[in-house]
Amino acid sequence: MVDLNNFDVLRESQPYFIYQRILLNSPIVYFLFSLDYGFYYLLRQIHIRYPSDNGIVQYPNLNIFAVQKGSGKETQNVPIPATLFCTPGNSNVTMVGALSTVGEVKAAKLQNIVYPFRDTMEFQISGHGIATPPFVDMCLIGYYLPVKENMMWSKDNGSN
Amino acid sequence: MVIKPFSQRIDPEQAFQLQNAQYMERLLMQVTVPAGQSTIGQVGVSNLGHFFCMFVTGSFSTLAMPAAAIVDNGVSYLAGQLIDGAGQRKLFNDRIPLDLWLSPGRRKDATSTTVLTDPGSNSLFYPIELEYLFTANSTIILDVVNTSNTPNYLEICFHGIRCISSMTQSGRDVFANQAQRRIPRRGQRPITRGQ
């Protein structure tokens, strides 16, 4: 039940979707996003979309390696094909210039990874092997969660 | 295996009392985005109570006019950034193409001249999770841009729970109730009901 006592607490966390268009112009490209001070980031899902050519998947070896620097843990043994845990994946329509055709959002595996504040989320994308550099649209679905120890969230402003 | 009928798992009286205070609600936002422009779509959260959004679904058109006629070419022209109107808190880092975060997504549109041969509308797969507490008497804002040379249309549905404010529910001023519970300072008379 939302009331005056927990209203502020509930308002502290917020969804935050992070989007970036990535040009695959080298064997490994990076999706980087630096987190602000004061918030953890709870990553729930990864939505990724890449072009195709008349229904033929153009980049079947598009792999993602998620690096967790803050926790110092290796959560993957190798880069994993994006189609195994992301959506919508192949858009099934030929690209038109720099425009991207729509995909269809379907099931994506829940990630449930918490990144500490001031960490840089890093995803290494690799595997494409064609002459023309394609681009990939990537969107992280997640939440900002406040760091409770901080003075701004702990309700202790020093005047109590 | 013990099968419990629905009426045994749910106490209707208790459920009804709970429903008086909070219940499922949907808010629909409909936006027409002019050709080559950005616009602000918004839906109001009335002062009935706070709205705890839990999921979001949406559909949009993919229209363009390469020649003299409007066609549906399936290109993602719309991108939007969701903003909490109370304090202008941004919920996305940038405008995100709608097909990356909305299900069902693409739909047919009657303004296409090739509507009979256009691909069918997508089916709802699952709603995207978006848990956020929008305050009463505020607005949900979508800053959306259309890169097509013809107008495009979108509809977004916010699924959540309306939390009736105690002021509305009981007819009393909650802040007055707070004052009654306040601990009096030294030498100060306690605040009692009726004062």
Side-chain angles (χ1 to χ4, degrees):
Chain A
M1 182 73 185
V2 180
D3 57 27
L4 287 175
N5 296 322
N6 63 6
F7 174 76
D8 286 343
V9 176
L10 289 170
R11 286 272 296 173
E12 285 167 2
S13 63
Q14 66 163 95
Y16 200 70
F17 293 4
I18 299 166
Y19 165 73
Q20 196 167 319
R21 174 163 286 186
I22 305 155
L23 184 67
L24 296 178
N25 54 2
S26 65
I28 296 179
V29 292
Y30 295 87
F31 178 111
L32 299 169
F33 189 84
S34 297
L35 298 171
D36 282 341
Y37 185 77
F39 289 94
Y40 294 101
Y41 188 77
L42 171 63
L43 177 62
R44 295 282 285 168
Q45 291 180 358
I46 301 173
H47 289 191
I48 190 169
R49 180 187 59 188
Y50 51 89
S52 62
D53 191 0
N54 289 331
I56 302 168
V57 179
Q58 214 168 23
Y59 320 113
N61 298 319
L62 192 67
N63 301 322
I64 296 179
F65 192 86
V67 178
Q68 292 190 43
K69 289 180 177 173
S71 61
K73 292 182 173 59
E74 190 171 294
T75 56
Q76 296 178 211
N77 57 344
V78 292
I80 294 176
T83 49
L84 294 183
F85 64 103
C86 299
T87 186
N90 176 23
S91 58
N92 263 335
V93 189
T94 307
M95 285 174 59
V96 183
L99 300 172
S100 182
T101 48
V102 297
E104 188 174 353
V105 174
K106 291 190 174 177
K109 176 70 183 66
L110 283 180
Q111 303 294 306
N112 284 338
I113 301 171
V114 177
Y115 289 87
F117 60 92
R118 299 191 72 181
D119 191 13
T120 297
M121 292 190 287
E122 178 178 327
F123 301 90
Q124 299 174 1
I125 299 159
S126 61
H128 75 97
I130 61 163
T132 308
F135 64 81
V136 174
D137 280 340
M138 196 164 169
C139 178
L140 306 180
I141 308 289
Y143 293 85
Y144 267 145
L145 305 176
V147 181
K148 293 291 183 185
E149 290 77 16
N150 278 7
M151 195 170 67
M152 61 187 293
W153 303 117
S154 66
K155 308 290 186 298
D156 181 8
N157 59 6
S159 61
N160 294 330
Chain B
M1 180 178 175
V2 178
I3 299 174
K4 296 185 76 174
F6 199 72
S7 60
Q8 291 180 11
R9 282 182 280 135
I10 300 291
D11 180 2
E13 188 175 352
Q14 190 180 12
F16 190 72
Q17 286 177 355
L18 181 63
Q19 198 171 264
N20 281 338
Q22 53 187 38
Y23 52 88
M24 189 273 287
E25 184 168 327
R26 283 183 289 266
L27 299 177
L28 180 68
M29 175 193 290
Q30 290 179 299
V31 188
T32 299
V33 193
Q37 296 181 31
S38 64
T39 189
I40 298 292
Q42 55 185 336
V43 60
V45 179
S46 69
N47 60 1
L48 194 62
H50 307 306
F51 177 68
F52 186 66
C53 181
M54 300 182 76
F55 296 98
V56 63
T57 56
S59 60
F60 53 88
S61 62
T62 53
L63 301 172
M65 194 162 55
I70 296 174
V71 296
D72 185 351
N73 63 3
V75 173
S76 179
Y77 291 109
L78 296 174
Q81 183 181 38
L82 205 59
I83 301 170
D84 175 12
Q88 301 293 309
R89 180 186 281 183
K90 291 177 178 172
L91 306 183
F92 298 174
N93 74 323
D94 199 354
R95 289 182 181 132
I96 302 177
L98 298 191
D99 65 310
L100 273 176
W101 58 281
L102 284 179
S103 179
R106 179 186 185 178
R107 65 158 171 77
K108 291 182 91 160
D109 196 273
T111 55
S112 170
T113 55
T114 55
V115 67
L116 293 177
T117 55
D118 289 341
S121 303
N122 291 349
S123 300
L124 180 64
F125 193 80
Y126 70 84
I128 301 299
E129 181 189 88
L130 189 129
E131 287 195 1
Y132 187 65
L133 182 65
F134 292 96
T135 62
N137 206 17
S138 68
T139 52
I140 306 172
I141 296 172
L142 183 75
D143 178 9
V144 58
V145 64
N146 177 16
T147 54
S148 173
N149 57 356
T150 191
N152 271 300
Y153 312 93
L154 67 99
E155 304 84 30
I156 297 179
C157 187
F158 299 90
H159 307 254
I161 294 173
R162 175 76 75 164
C163 308
I164 300 291
S165 68
S166 55
M167 184 185 292
T168 308
Q169 186 188 4
S170 64
R172 292 181 302 177
D173 188 345
V174 289
F175 297 105
N177 294 341
Q178 287 283 311
Q180 288 167 15
R181 287 197 294 270
R182 194 178 298 154
I183 300 171
R185 293 177 181 170
R186 186 187 300 271
Q188 183 185 11
R189 288 178 55 201
I191 302 169
T192 56
R193 190 181 296 272
Q195 283 188 328

